[in-house]
Amino acid sequence: MGTGTRRATIADVAREAGVSTSTASVVFSGKVNVADATRKKVVAAAAALGYTGPDPRAASLRTGRSGIVGVVLGGDLRHAFLDPVTTVMMDGLTDALASISTGILLLRDDPRDDEPPAIADAPVDAVVLIGCSTRAREVLEVVRQRGLPVVVIEGDAGDDVPQVTLDNREASATIARHVRELGHRRAATITLALDPVRERAPLTAEREAAATVSITLDRLAGFREAFPDGTGITAAGSLVDEGYLAARTLLAETDGTLRADRPTAIVAQSDLLAVGAIRAAEELGLRVPDDLTVVGFDGIAADGLGSLELTTMAQPALQKGRAAGEQVVRMLEGEPGESVHFACEFRAGETAAPPAH
Amino acid sequence: MGTGTRRATIADVAREAGVSTSTASVVFSGKVNVADATRKKVVAAAAALGYTGPDPRAASLRTGRSGIVGVVLGGDLRHAFLDPVTTVMMDGLTDALASISTGILLLRDDPRDDEPPAIADAPVDAVVLIGCSTRAREVLEVVRQRGLPVVVIEGDAGDDVPQVTLDNREASATIARHVRELGHRRAATITLALDPVRERAPLTAEREAAATVSITLDRLAGFREAFPDGTGITAAGSLVDEGYLAARTLLAETDGTLRADRPTAIVAQSDLLAVGAIRAAEELGLRVPDDLTVVGFDGIAADGLGSLELTTMAQPALQKGRAAGEQVVRMLEGEPGESVHFACEFRAGETAAPPAH
DNA sequence: TTGTATGCGTTATCAA
DNA sequence: TTGATAACGCATACAA
């Protein structure tokens, strides 16, 4: 397959067509009017030489644009993909970016390796940071140095960076209060990870003090507004299995007998965690919501519940992604980016009820 | 932030450091030994000028490599993200590519728009096609013209393209036969989409004849080996909701009464479809597997089943992704790519049983 | 409407 | 170990 011979360039095409390179270039970019006869000559020459269009590398060096937007995801890609919230956000993002971008470059922001962030040498026009952790700062620094527009979705960034945020604390407080008003006094929470290490363990003052993930801390603070001394467990990630394991620990001894001091309500920081908690409860013979109230957070279509509707706070994930994309577009057009704040909405389901006596 | 002044280039750094540009370049690429004193001068100059390293666009024009691998996903990205099999494959892919690639460029292969495929002007070193449809041919053509290495995962490609394939027909036949051997005679199938239009509708001879998605057809052919005249419905996608709706149509009239001629077994072409079918059955008062057998395909961790284990064919999705990545690496090293074939494995669960009388 | 000339920022080759 | 030079392939300002 033509390995010997070098690829045709636009100069070759121009020569073959008997026009100048600029004319040939213009035929492909379509930005200037070209006489029909000329265009045909060029197209024919291109076809004859097997020229498929400008080399994107050269074009992007020249124009300064690659048409690529980098998305830096916290942690491994595998985690990111498993989380339906991220998935939906990406969806909104690609949507908003469709008009200006050829594609989305997925970059991992792995806290484990010590190389400079991959974003340092990726040919992107702009960057979106999603739920990044400790390394977010480092990434931001690199991005700023490179002078790239950047938008942060739910991460810690300075005030000078456009961000898409959620009322995590308020929303958590709302649903926790709802649980309290139902009459619950012994509530426990299952939180997302406190730090990039992602360890499943009981919540302690020390661990909390060392925490770095602000989503987790904000939601926890909201929970504490209603249950100042509620106990809790941090999950290793937003997974059904994690919710299951955490809830088992909260509800039962290791031998499977129910704990006497078990909570009457579990406030989970994600719907997936809540689904796992419900599954654990059912396995232990506790019915939801009669014997145990379980509420979630996110409002994704929770797949594991049969016909049971989860009581939760619904967050506008699609809109968050779209808003980030829109800001990127704005900034690429030279306007300043703006932060956008979203609020969650309480969604009554069937998994919360007054405690049994 | 310094909007007025142009970015520093390596030439600026070199001048500032009092060395030649080639020396400065070498300091950053690290490919050749440089005297320690020289290196320090260059690094200091870079720091002083705020130079963060070579411009990836220029570097990639010069070297001919961008460090980016393009992944073309069939249909919309949103569909792709929602499908756990794709997700897991991507995971394996990124894994295998980690050593040579900065990131993965997600490209959509939307059958709706008539522009040339986005891959035509993306600065990628290689391409992986995942589950693409009609447009796959077109994409392949573009990719070949550009002379890029390409690997296809479960799509239709010529024999000269390295592919990662699955024994779809055999695997489907295996599980369908299992159902038949349990004693079922009236089985229906819920298939994946037949064509890019993705319409939910009963399976008819005409629709089948016009179908273009080979995975669907292969799995259907396997089903037919055991149930030559089994009926079926095509789903609009691999979604729980689709399985739910399809199963409802198979099992009940529109008013919710059970159909007299309903199947005693449903063979779904994906686990998500199977989960939906189970949910529909339960809502209609049919117990699984006592009143209805439901089997799936994929062997993903099905989240919607409580403690019920789905009877299914498990496919090695992670390995498929990884294999594709490994072939890309090989080809980028100049070796020829090879096709890799994987087999599914029957996984007995608790959703299949002999029919009731 | 077309052509000329220039530079985008880098790296590879070669010679010193 | 360092430096001079020449591409890489293209798009644009400007002139014709």
Side-chain angles (χ1 to χ4, degrees), chain B:
Chain B
M1 304 215 316
T3 344
T5 153
R6 151 185 146 288
R7 289 220 83 53
T9 74
I10 199 160
D12 300 327
V13 173
R15 197 176 319 114
E16 173 87 10
V19 301
S20 72
T21 56
S22 37
T23 304
S25 169
V26 155
V27 167
F28 285 97
S29 72
K31 292 201 171 178
V32 181
N33 280 354
V34 178
D36 226 42
T38 319
R39 152 172 294 112
K40 278 186 184 141
K41 276 195 297 185
V42 171
V43 170
L49 297 176
Y51 179 82
T52 38
D55 179 328
R57 288 178 278 257
S60 90
L61 171 59
R62 178 62 235 233
T63 59
R65 286 270 169 108
S66 66
I68 295 181
V69 174
V71 173
V72 181
L73 294 162
D76 333 350
L77 292 189
R78 66 184 69 188
H79 257 107
F81 283 132
L82 288 177
D83 180 12
V85 176
T86 305
T87 286
V88 172
M89 287 194 311
M90 295 280 296
D91 198 3
L93 185 64
T94 51
D95 233 49
L97 252 29
S99 61
I100 61 146
S101 157
T102 16
I104 283 200
L105 183 65
L106 250 34
L107 264 9
R108 51 171 131 197
D109 157 38
D110 198 325
R112 279 167 312 199
D113 53 36
D114 14 86
E115 292 162 35
I119 190 71
D121 33 52
V124 297
D125 295 340
V127 177
V128 176
L129 258 68
I130 299 184
C132 290
S133 50
T134 346
R135 295 206 74 189
R137 292 289 178 178
E138 202 180 331
V139 172
L140 273 175
E141 191 47 40
V142 170
V143 167
R144 161 163 327 169
Q145 284 283 348
R146 286 187 57 187
L148 296 171
V150 57
V151 178
V152 174
I153 303 183
E154 297 230 51
D156 300 305
D159 290 338
D160 48 346
V161 178
Q163 297 181 58
V164 175
T165 52
L166 204 59
D167 61 339
N168 282 305
R169 175 168 184 155
E170 250 319 285
S172 289
T174 300
I175 198 160
R177 265 186 233 117
H178 173 74
V179 170
R180 180 155 203 110
E181 280 159 15
L182 285 172
H184 293 274
R185 290 301 171 265
R186 272 206 320 280
T189 183
I190 302 177
T191 78
L192 298 170
L194 280 180
D195 47 51
V197 179
R198 298 173 168 273
E199 187 188 7
R200 180 177 349 106
L203 209 49
T204 61
E206 301 97 69
R207 294 188 64 227
E208 227 173 291
T212 56
V213 181
S214 57
I215 297 185
T216 307
L217 288 173
D218 290 346
R219 293 189 188 170
L220 183 56
F223 171 73
R224 287 273 160 73
E225 286 186 19
F227 297 99
D229 40 75
T231 57
I233 290 197
T234 62
S238 185
L239 298 169
V240 174
D241 285 350
E242 284 293 320
Y244 173 88
L245 292 170
R248 254 197 102 84
T249 311
L250 289 171
L251 299 170
E253 308 293 348
T254 43
D255 65 0
T257 60
L258 289 175
R259 299 173 59 137
D261 64 341
R262 67 176 187 274
T264 62
I266 290 181
V267 177
Q269 284 194 354
S270 87
D271 285 356
L272 292 182
L273 290 172
V275 169
I278 291 172
R279 186 169 304 166
E282 284 172 349
E283 267 194 33
L284 291 166
L286 297 170
R287 283 167 316 154
V288 174
D290 307 309
D291 304 322
L292 179 74
T293 281
V294 177
V295 300
F297 198 109
D298 285 341
I300 56 156
D303 249 9
L305 289 173
S307 54
L308 204 60
E309 286 282 340
L310 187 65
T311 298
T312 191
M313 297 299 300
Q315 68 158 300
L318 194 78
Q319 288 89 319
K320 277 165 65 187
R322 191 170 288 144
E326 284 162 358
Q327 290 312 309
V328 166
V329 172
R330 277 181 57 115
M331 293 169 82
L332 250 18
E333 284 168 349
E335 291 160 59
E338 287 171 1
S339 289
V340 186
H341 188 72
F342 288 99
C344 298
E345 188 178 298
F346 177 75
R347 185 185 293 166
E350 307 153 346
T351 58
H357 311 278

Side-chain angles (χ1 to χ4, degrees), chain A residues 177-199:
Chain A
R177 265 186 233 117
H178 173 74
V179 169
R180 179 151 202 113
E181 280 159 16
L182 286 172
H184 292 274
R185 290 300 172 264
R186 275 208 317 280
T189 183
I190 303 177
T191 78
L192 299 168
L194 280 180
D195 48 50
V197 179
R198 299 172 167 273
E199 187 189 7

Side-chain angles (χ1 to χ4, degrees), chain A residues 23-37:
Chain A
T23 304
S25 169
V26 155
V27 166
F28 284 98
S29 74
K31 293 201 172 179
V32 180
N33 280 352
V34 178
D36 227 43

